[in-house]
Amino acid sequence: MTPLPDYFCPADGTRVPGGSLDWCCPACRGPLDLDFAPTPGPLKSLGGRVNSLWRYAECLPLAAPTTSLGEGRTPLVSLTDGVAAKLDFLMPTLSFKDRGAVLLAELALQLRPRQVVADSSGNAGTAIAAYCARAALPCTVYVPEGTSAKKLEQIEAHGARLRVVEGDREATAHAAREAADEAGVFYASHVFNPYFLHGTKTYVHELWEDLGGRLPDALVVPVGNGTLLLGAALAVAELHAAGLIDRRPALYAVQAAAVAPLAHAWEQGADDLVGVTPAAPTFAEGIAIPRPPRARQILRAVRESGGAFLTVTEDQIRHAQSDLASRGLYVESTGVACWAAVRAGALPQPRPRPGEGMPAAVVPLCGAGLKTGPARA
């Protein structure tokens, strides 16, 4: 078994051994990063490899998976001239969260806890439940009241114990973290555990491969806790450091205007959250996070990329979901936020780049519409 890399705290540098069940920095209780800086292989080395995200094995902190469900390698399709969509709702559990969940389940298999605990507004919970079922690991998923009944059904179908918490998403996270502090518990947190980010980064590795060793000018990403955006930033840094891309795309982070703490901090020119953003109803429930723990990292990643934060209204989300459905793509309301931003003209006018099939911007369609149904006024 390959030794596990150590963790470190990006805020104060505290180090945690790689085989530990500690889920946060023991000094500041903040999220951890992984002391892991891989070198991706050249494009020509990928031929003939397994057709899943594990084809990027040299970039992943775990090898030889036993829990894979074939996740990754989702299609890239054109939406308009210059804009393409990556169909990450075509995953085993119907959301992009499978990219990170498989890494967490694989890690848990090595650590052998007595219990796996996760908290989620739905999609991460369904993904963790599925991969724990695949790995025959006992799993409990905490969700807030009001979570989509279809997501609850999916979590329970995979055999996970369901704990519905009275209150909002933050109350749910608090309950799960209390359970995670118990001995022998592995906290499969898509926010605090950096292995999740090393799974989501494969989204960009796939784009790079599918676009012939290039990346678009802009990556437009929905942001609540920022797991897809931070994974994208990891992949871009890896590809650039290896000399496999000569320029970095701008990262555009999209939030629902109803719950937009990061966009507010961005507007204020702040390096961290400013004030308290109250929870508010929004169709984009999956990104309605008032206080994301990795806020500083998210803001820094967008700033260093030359991108920006964008917000979309409830009407824009609703119309974007209908528009995508009319194009044959039925996506849950959270997953259409980026397309809503593009339709609203929030990006610089995208223009096709030289080369057949090369978009100027790519948006992810992160979850299937069947998980939540249509957004209704």
Side-chain angles (χ1 to χ4, degrees):
M1 185 181 298
T2 304
L4 297 173
D6 286 347
Y7 301 101
F8 69 93
C9 175
D12 60 29
T14 300
R15 298 185 71 83
V16 176
S20 171
L21 285 173
D22 289 349
W23 58 268
C24 66
C25 172
C28 72
R29 301 283 287 181
L32 297 168
D33 283 347
L34 203 59
D35 189 2
F36 178 66
T39 300
L43 199 62
K44 63 182 180 182
S45 72
L46 300 177
R49 295 193 184 188
V50 63
N51 192 37
S52 73
L53 63 79
W54 294 94
R55 69 195 280 109
Y56 312 107
E58 58 267 80
C59 293
L60 297 175
L62 297 168
T66 60
T67 60
S68 178
L69 292 167
E71 56 286 333
R73 301 299 295 139
T74 53
L76 184 66
V77 302
S78 175
L79 289 179
T80 61
D81 286 345
V83 182
K86 189 158 174 58
L87 310 190
D88 256 25
F89 65 89
L90 298 179
M91 288 278 199
T93 75
L94 307 182
S95 91
F96 87 96
K97 296 290 177 62
D98 291 1
R99 293 186 182 276
V102 67
L103 269 291
L104 293 184
E106 201 68 35
L107 175 61
L109 268 181
Q110 294 200 25
L111 299 178
R112 289 294 175 184
R114 63 174 177 83
Q115 179 73 21
V116 175
V117 166
D119 60 278
S120 170
S121 59
N123 283 338
T126 60
I128 297 297
Y131 284 93
C132 281
R134 181 74 165 176
L137 291 165
C139 177
T140 300
V141 179
Y142 291 75
V143 298
E145 58 185 353
T147 299
S148 163
K150 295 177 182 179
K151 293 178 181 178
L152 301 183
E153 178 184 340
Q154 189 177 2
I155 290 169
E156 290 189 304
H158 291 307
R161 296 173 64 190
L162 192 63
R163 293 287 182 265
V164 179
V165 178
E166 292 185 9
D168 60 13
R169 183 66 182 83
E170 290 194 324
T172 304
H174 179 74
R177 290 166 196 167
E178 283 192 337
D181 282 332
E182 297 177 9
V185 174
F186 175 71
Y187 185 26
S189 172
H190 59 292
V191 182
F192 277 76
N193 195 304
Y195 278 83
F196 196 91
L197 306 181
H198 284 274
T200 61
K201 75 182 181 184
T202 58
Y203 171 88
V204 168
H205 284 287
E206 289 177 18
L207 283 178
W208 171 78
E209 181 182 0
D210 290 343
L211 295 174
R214 297 171 295 171
L215 288 175
D217 294 328
L219 297 174
V220 192
V221 184
V223 172
N225 278 310
T227 55
L228 184 55
L229 184 138
L230 290 174
L234 275 174
V236 168
E238 291 170 2
L239 292 166
H240 190 263
L244 296 173
I245 54 173
D246 58 8
R247 47 171 298 283
R248 303 186 187 212
L251 299 175
Y252 287 88
V254 180
Q255 297 205 285
V259 186
L262 291 160
H264 177 63
W266 176 265
E267 291 169 359
Q268 300 297 312
D271 295 329
D272 205 343
L273 300 179
V274 177
V276 176
T277 300
T282 174
F283 295 135
E285 61 182 13
I287 54 173
I289 309 296
R291 283 176 284 274
R294 292 187 184 269
R296 293 183 68 89
Q297 290 176 278
I298 298 166
L299 288 160
R300 183 171 64 251
V302 172
R303 186 171 290 112
E304 290 178 351
S305 78
F309 281 81
L310 312 171
T311 60
V312 290
T313 67
E314 299 303 291
D315 277 347
Q316 287 170 333
I317 292 170
R318 182 164 51 85
H319 292 312
Q321 187 184 40
S322 296
D323 179 69
L324 284 172
S326 74
R327 299 166 185 262
L329 300 167
Y330 189 37
V331 183
E332 71 171 325
S333 47
T334 296
V336 307
C338 294
W339 180 234
V342 171
R343 290 182 78 238
L347 284 178
Q349 185 62 37
R351 297 181 181 181
R353 289 176 58 191
E356 185 177 354
M358 186 61 188
V362 172
V363 300
L365 304 183
C366 296
L370 293 176
K371 283 175 169 279
T372 57
R376 300 190 185 280

